[in-house]
Amino acid sequence: MKTKSRILLLAAALMLISLYFFPIWNIDLHAPQYPEGIGLRIWVNQITGEKKYDLSNINKLNHYIGMKPIEPESIPELNYMPYIVGSIILLGILVVLLKRKKLVIGWIGIIILVAALGLYDFYSWGYQYGHNLNPEAPIKIPGMAYQPPLIGSKQLLNIKAVSLPGVGGLALGATILIATAAVVTDKKGKPDDAK
Amino acid sequence: MKKIILILFAVTLSAVFLTNCTQSGETASDIDAAKKVYVAPGKYDEFYAFLSGGFNGQVSVYGLPSGRLFKIISVFSQNPETGYGYSEETKPMLMTSYGFVPWDDAHHPELSMTKGVPDGRWLFINANNTCRVARIDLKSFETAEIIEIPNSGGNHGSPFVTENNEYVVASTRFSVPIPEKDVPISSYKENFKGTLTFIKVDPNNGDMNIAFQILVPGIDYDLAHAGKGPSHDWVFFTSYNSEQANSLLEINASKNDKDFVAAVNWKLAEKFIAEGKGKKMHTVYYNNFFDESTLSAKANKLTSVTVLDPKDCPGLIYYLPTPKSPHGVDVDPSGEYIIAGGKLSTVIPVHSFSKMLEAIKNKDFIGDKDSIPILKYESVVAGEVENPGLGPLHTEFDGKGYAYTTAFITSEIVKWKLGTWEVVDRIPTYYSPGHLCIPGGDSEKPWGKYLIALNKITKDRYLPTGPELCQSAQLIDITGDKMKVLLDFPTIGEPHYAQAIPADILLKNNKKIYELEKNYNPSAVKSEKYARVERKGNEVHVYLTATRSHFKPDNIEGVKTGDKVYFHVTNLEQDWDIPHGFAVKGANNSELLIMPGQTKTILWIPQQEGVYPFYCTDFCSALHQEMQGYIRVSSAQSSVKISFN
């Protein structure tokens, strides 16, 4: 592989470090009573509010519709996701050292697979929270579910939920794009040191 | 004939035009004023204004230029709306050496200052009747501390601050025997004394302590202001009744041509204290703190104060003769001019600080009073403002070289130029202004945009409400050559003085909630799982939590008639603007209004058997009406055990 492609690849791998510093996904809730905003931030290892008390305040609001409180400690994925991301970064560095294009393609495949599984997991948690409602909830609307959108916006009673990738999620996407670009551009030139 | 028709037509047209004008009642000038005070829905005012409540003992918070009321801060008077002065956490705030005093007469709000400019940390205010000074925290807009002023007959000339809050000062309006003793009132001249009190303010947390008091001749001390810039080390106090009358003062204290402004050098006072000239005097007074971490107050009894006698302290005080029964004393932004409102005088005398220093150096005295040198009027006066209106009381400044003085009797505000002393504009007010307020108008750097006239008489200005009328404030635009009234707005209680500050300075520090994790009230319950009821002898402690939309516990049994039931209610919310209320039937004191993260306690002593409802009084949520509970009260002999769920 060309040096330029390898540098791109290394950058793509290192970009994943940002997942430890920025949320992967943002869910912002818009309601008339929250001019200051209220929202959730999904990180590689935790779920927090946009502001300090947002998570507990969202749980407090959700109890009216019978949604289970969101307790980050009860979501096991948050425990092992940091290790998976770490492993992907190390694999990426290894691939850069090994200079094998097939391995690079394999690495990209792994990232896409993990991202897809992550999204599916996020969707299924959203589904569970949105559908498994306490039958004794004060507010019951037949046929109404409160699953937040995977991506995009959705009106849930008085609240408009907007779900979009955060900086971490965008970095993950960028990693895939840059790594793919590294592979694609590498085709055109001759390998620097092909064996 | 044609002509006549034409004229008739013209007359009709103009009549129609005129009626249109008067029907809407608005002139172009009114529309301009309306625009200037219009704050669009959802937008913020430019200034916070703090108006004293006078006889209601509180402070009200308004926005300028809209004149909208935001809050009434409980200071010296109990407030059953929030439980202030009724809850166990706040009762100690109102303790004094005269016992629990649940009201007062609050006159002068004063913002804390840094380098002579309001800094937005605290607001001080005096209690005139049972002499006290309070400090309000401007993060939470709640009273943080109250200190009693011993050896004072009436704390009117207070609480004025020096340029960096080195001291908050207080002077006694009524001279009294010091220490208090049983003497004939007619022995005034022999036995009565006044005090000037200097309260030290801790620059870190604002804690107030009486540093020293100066024992002064027994006359009536009225108002005060600290110096600025070159006069930084000095504080000026007005006085009246140099006649030392003890009855029918309106006649007997209006005889002398001149009374005094007392100029006190506090830097020198510190030197005398350091030299040991201060004498410890036994007295009793209270200093009450509201602890931010326990969210509850403690009343501390103190028994000693340091007193300076001017006889032992040469150079500490000079009297500046001032016509005639002066009320306000105001120092211009440069610190050079000291303006006294001689309420019975036909001119406003302006003293010069530099001339005063010169006169002191030259010993230009015309005599002394109890060893306090009296300076020669002609040697200290910088000028006199002629024709200032009758009954001049108070002066503030716009920072552009002009002073504005209220004239009570002629009911107007008079604008005049510093240095030339000429009146350049005057505007009527409705009616009879006492104090006036320009944002930062008594500081080194006024924000000279608006002026509020605080009128004492309202009469026909608003829809009448029987014999008792609201008080009236008037907002005046002072940006142009001519003053212009923009707005009348009614006020709460009887505002004496007001202070205003740009909203931005306070907005950045404004507290939204009390953090539950930092609530160290010993009765706090931070989670529903710890909510409980405990009996200790004839006391029952209910540790109650409130959150949308229920109390925990909400069914309580085992209480007996005559039990002292303490409801310790913690609001578990950590969301902005979600207070909960607590009220129990037959409460002889008050309800509670509990902010997010706060704990408040109210005592309830049921006298009759039965089942008593309790409920949330603040419409907290869609299911607020469901936020209720019951407490069963059995006979004193009953064997019902404490139970709850």
Side-chain angles (χ1 to χ4, degrees):
Chain A
M1 282 185 90
K2 286 199 297 187
T3 313
K4 197 176 140 199
S5 299
R6 289 173 62 205
I7 291 171
L8 273 179
L9 262 184
L10 185 67
L14 294 180
M15 189 166 272
L16 291 176
I17 293 172
S18 63
L19 265 73
Y20 296 96
F21 299 98
F22 297 99
I24 301 170
W25 219 263
N26 298 340
I27 302 177
D28 289 332
L29 306 178
H30 301 272
Q33 296 83 354
Y34 287 91
E36 73 276 26
I38 184 167
L40 288 179
R41 297 290 175 262
I42 296 149
W43 303 68
V44 70
N45 63 339
Q46 56 175 338
I47 295 174
T48 64
E50 179 194 351
K51 298 186 298 304
K52 191 172 177 188
Y53 298 106
D54 279 9
L55 177 60
S56 62
N57 289 331
I58 287 168
N59 282 336
K60 208 153 264 186
L61 294 175
N62 286 343
H63 100 275
Y64 286 114
I65 50 166
M67 191 186 282
K68 262 195 338 191
I70 300 165
E71 287 161 347
E73 54 278 13
S74 69
I75 300 173
E77 289 88 325
L78 297 172
N79 295 327
Y80 53 77
M81 271 309 278
Y83 299 105
I84 293 177
V85 172
S87 312
I88 290 174
I89 294 170
L90 289 177
L91 270 179
I93 294 166
L94 197 65
V95 165
V96 171
L97 293 175
L98 293 175
K99 305 167 193 170
R100 296 274 298 274
K101 200 185 280 184
K102 272 187 189 161
L103 287 180
V104 177
I105 294 166
W107 183 67
I108 296 171
I110 291 172
I111 299 176
I112 293 173
L113 186 72
V114 168
L117 282 174
L119 272 178
Y120 174 74
D121 191 52
F122 173 44
Y123 172 86
S124 49
W125 276 108
Y127 186 91
Q128 275 194 42
Y129 276 114
H131 288 81
N132 295 343
L133 304 171
N134 182 348
E136 301 220 338
I139 298 172
K140 269 183 294 191
I141 296 170
M144 184 76 194
Y146 303 94
Q147 183 179 4
L150 190 62
I151 184 160
S153 87
K154 192 173 169 189
Q155 189 73 31
L156 301 165
L157 298 185
N158 59 323
I159 289 170
K160 189 171 119 189
V162 179
S163 173
L164 290 169
V167 173
L170 292 173
L172 184 68
T175 297
I176 295 170
L177 288 178
I178 293 170
T180 310
V183 173
V184 174
T185 54
D186 200 53
K187 260 183 195 169
K188 287 172 189 165
K190 272 206 274 174
D192 286 350
D193 45 2
K195 283 173 187 169
Chain B
M1 188 62 189
K2 258 187 189 171
K3 240 186 193 172
I4 292 171
I5 291 172
L6 255 179
I7 290 168
L8 272 177
F9 181 68
V11 167
T12 321
L13 249 187
S14 51
V16 167
F17 179 72
L18 281 175
T19 7
N20 271 348
C21 238
T22 45
Q23 263 173 7
S24 61
E26 284 160 1
T27 63
S29 161
D30 286 339
I31 292 166
D32 178 56
K35 269 190 191 161
K36 283 186 171 150
V37 301
Y38 180 70
V39 177
K43 298 279 185 252
Y44 286 165
D45 277 283
E46 191 181 347
F47 294 95
Y48 278 106
F50 297 94
L51 279 64
S52 71
F55 39 61
N56 85 1
Q58 317 289 40
V59 167
S60 50
V61 186
Y62 285 81
L64 299 180
S66 72
R68 295 180 295 187
L69 173 67
F70 303 138
K71 183 177 180 174
I72 295 174
I73 303 172
S74 305
V75 188
F76 297 115
S77 296
Q78 283 179 308
N79 186 356
E81 180 179 322
T82 59
Y84 181 84
Y86 293 100
S87 73
E88 296 302 308
E89 285 80 6
T90 53
K91 269 159 49 177
M93 288 301 276
L94 302 180
M95 266 309 288
T96 75
S97 62
Y98 298 87
F100 183 80
V101 176
W103 75 282
D104 218 298
D105 179 20
H107 281 224
H108 310 120
E110 174 90 345
L111 290 158
S112 59
M113 294 210 276
T114 301
K115 294 180 179 160
V117 180
D119 57 17
R121 298 181 75 189
W122 307 299
L123 182 80
F124 300 96
I125 187 160
N126 63 322
N128 203 10
N129 177 62
T130 305
C131 310
R132 286 169 284 173
V133 168
R135 178 173 54 87
I136 295 161
D137 177 8
L138 292 181
K139 291 195 291 289
S140 61
F141 288 63
E142 297 287 345
T143 305
E145 185 181 1
I146 293 179
I147 191 165
E148 191 178 354
I149 313 294
N151 299 326
S152 178
N155 186 36
H156 185 263
S158 174
F160 300 95
V161 304
T162 56
E163 289 192 288
N164 298 298
N165 315 317
E166 289 97 343
Y167 294 101
V168 174
V169 303
S171 63
T172 181
R173 173 175 163 193
F174 308 103
S175 282
V176 285
I178 293 174
E180 272 290 6
K181 58 187 170 196
D182 175 14
V183 296
I185 298 169
S186 58
S187 69
Y188 186 106
K189 285 181 187 167
E190 174 194 339
N191 283 322
F192 288 35
K193 287 277 183 192
T195 51
L196 308 177
T197 304
F198 285 72
I199 303 164
K200 193 94 197 142
V201 180
D202 187 310
N204 297 315
N205 54 21
D207 284 357
M208 298 187 288
N209 282 295
I210 294 180
F212 57 91
Q213 294 192 302
I214 304 173
L215 209 57
V216 283
I219 53 180
D220 289 48
Y221 294 85
D222 204 1
L223 280 158
H225 257 109
K228 306 177 172 82
S231 52
H232 173 75
D233 299 350
W234 295 75
V235 181
F236 305 93
F237 297 88
T238 44
S239 68
Y240 58 101
N241 192 19
S242 52
E243 298 83 351
Q244 297 191 296
N246 57 278
S247 112
L248 203 61
L249 264 65
E250 68 168 320
I251 304 291
N252 294 329
S254 302
K255 290 183 173 160
N256 289 352
D257 200 34
K258 294 198 171 60
D259 295 277
F260 303 121
V261 166
V264 177
N265 186 333
W266 56 263
K267 271 275 163 74
L268 209 52
E270 288 179 342
K271 191 179 138 254
F272 289 125
I273 297 279
E275 286 170 5
K277 297 271 175 69
K279 292 195 178 77
K280 289 268 179 230
M281 181 177 165
H282 178 81
T283 181
V284 176
Y285 62 106
Y286 272 78
N287 188 2
N288 311 327
F289 293 92
F290 192 80
D291 185 325
E292 268 184 43
S293 67
T294 59
L295 298 173
S296 38
K298 262 207 183 96
N300 300 308
K301 187 175 166 183
L302 302 169
T303 54
S304 161
V305 72
T306 303
V307 175
L308 282 175
D309 191 329
K311 286 191 187 75
D312 312 326
C313 306
L316 179 63
I317 310 182
Y318 297 93
Y319 277 145
L320 285 66
T322 304
K324 184 175 178 178
S325 299
H327 188 55
V329 57
D330 301 285
V331 180
D332 87 305
S334 76
E336 163 65 7
Y337 298 122
I338 302 135
I339 293 117
K343 53 187 187 278
L344 304 176
S345 166
T346 53
V347 296
I348 302 172
V350 180
H351 296 302
S352 154
F353 178 70
S354 52
K355 284 181 83 175
M356 181 190 95
L357 289 186
E358 190 66 20
I360 291 170
K361 207 172 85 187
N362 298 336
K363 296 202 171 356
D364 218 347
F365 307 140
I366 56 164
D368 73 282
K369 188 167 182 70
D370 295 2
S371 84
I372 297 172
I374 303 171
L375 292 158
K376 193 173 162 197
Y377 179 69
E378 290 73 18
S379 305
V380 293
V381 78
E384 289 178 340
V385 180
E386 302 277 351
N387 192 20
L390 294 175
L393 292 181
H394 300 281
T395 301
E396 295 234 320
F397 309 91
D398 63 3
K400 297 165 197 151
Y402 294 97
Y404 300 77
T405 303
T406 50
F408 181 85
I409 298 169
T410 43
S411 189
E412 60 184 332
I413 287 176
V414 179
K415 177 181 177 182
W416 51 275
K417 196 165 167 51
L418 287 159
T420 68
W421 326 120
E422 61 182 325
V423 172
V424 295
D425 191 24
R426 55 206 317 146
I427 191 169
T429 70
Y430 304 92
Y431 304 92
S432 292
H435 280 267
L436 75 173
C437 159
I438 292 171
D442 71 340
S443 76
E444 272 196 27
K445 292 192 181 106
W447 292 275
K449 189 169 181 184
Y450 303 113
L451 180 157
I452 320 169
L454 296 156
N455 299 314
K456 295 293 180 195
I457 297 169
T458 308
K459 298 240 170 177
D460 60 345
R461 295 302 284 182
Y462 307 102
L463 286 174
T465 52
E468 188 186 349
L469 301 172
C470 63
Q471 307 267 325
S472 179
Q474 284 188 292
L475 187 75
I476 295 169
D477 180 354
I478 55 166
T479 52
D481 288 340
K482 299 288 285 176
M483 291 180 277
K484 197 184 158 204
V485 173
L486 300 177
L487 180 73
D488 274 19
F489 61 95
T491 53
I492 304 287
E494 189 212 353
H496 285 256
Y497 184 39
Q499 289 222 318
I501 184 168
D504 294 341
I505 296 176
L506 299 194
L507 273 173
K508 56 178 187 277
N509 296 323
N510 190 54
K511 201 181 197 59
K512 285 196 168 97
I513 58 165
Y514 295 97
E515 290 191 280
L516 202 55
E517 65 197 46
K518 291 182 189 158
N519 173 347
Y520 295 104
N521 186 316
S523 304
V525 178
K526 297 188 189 182
S527 159
E528 286 190 356
K529 58 180 180 246
Y530 304 120
R532 64 194 188 276
V533 182
E534 288 171 356
R535 174 179 283 286
K536 284 178 193 155
N538 71 338
E539 286 183 5
V540 175
H541 293 267
V542 181
Y543 298 91
L544 202 63
T545 60
T547 192
R548 280 163 292 173
S549 304
H550 58 273
F551 290 108
K552 182 93 182 166
D554 66 358
N555 277 215
I556 298 161
E557 300 198 355
V559 171
K560 297 171 189 175
T561 53
D563 274 348
K564 293 166 90 173
V565 182
Y566 290 91
F567 292 100
H568 310 280
V569 191
T570 301
N571 181 348
L572 294 179
E573 307 282 355
Q574 294 287 269
D575 204 350
W576 190 22
D577 198 18
I578 310 285
H580 289 293
F582 175 81
V584 60
K585 194 182 176 195
N588 295 110
N589 35 23
S590 81
E591 62 163 326
L592 295 173
L593 191 60
I594 311 131
M595 295 303 123
Q598 209 176 27
T599 302
K600 286 187 181 177
T601 301
I602 196 85
L603 171 62
W604 180 67
I605 306 174
Q607 302 295 349
Q608 298 162 34
E609 292 164 37
V611 177
Y612 292 73
F614 59 88
Y615 68 101
C616 172
T617 48
D618 186 295
F619 205 109
C620 56
S621 62
L623 295 170
H624 159 75
Q625 287 297 90
E626 282 72 10
M627 193 162 170
Q628 60 172 49
Y630 290 108
I631 181 161
R632 175 183 168 190
V633 175
S634 309
S635 79
Q637 295 77 36
S638 140
S639 57
V640 180
K641 290 267 173 290
I642 290 286
S643 68
F644 57 92
N645 58 64

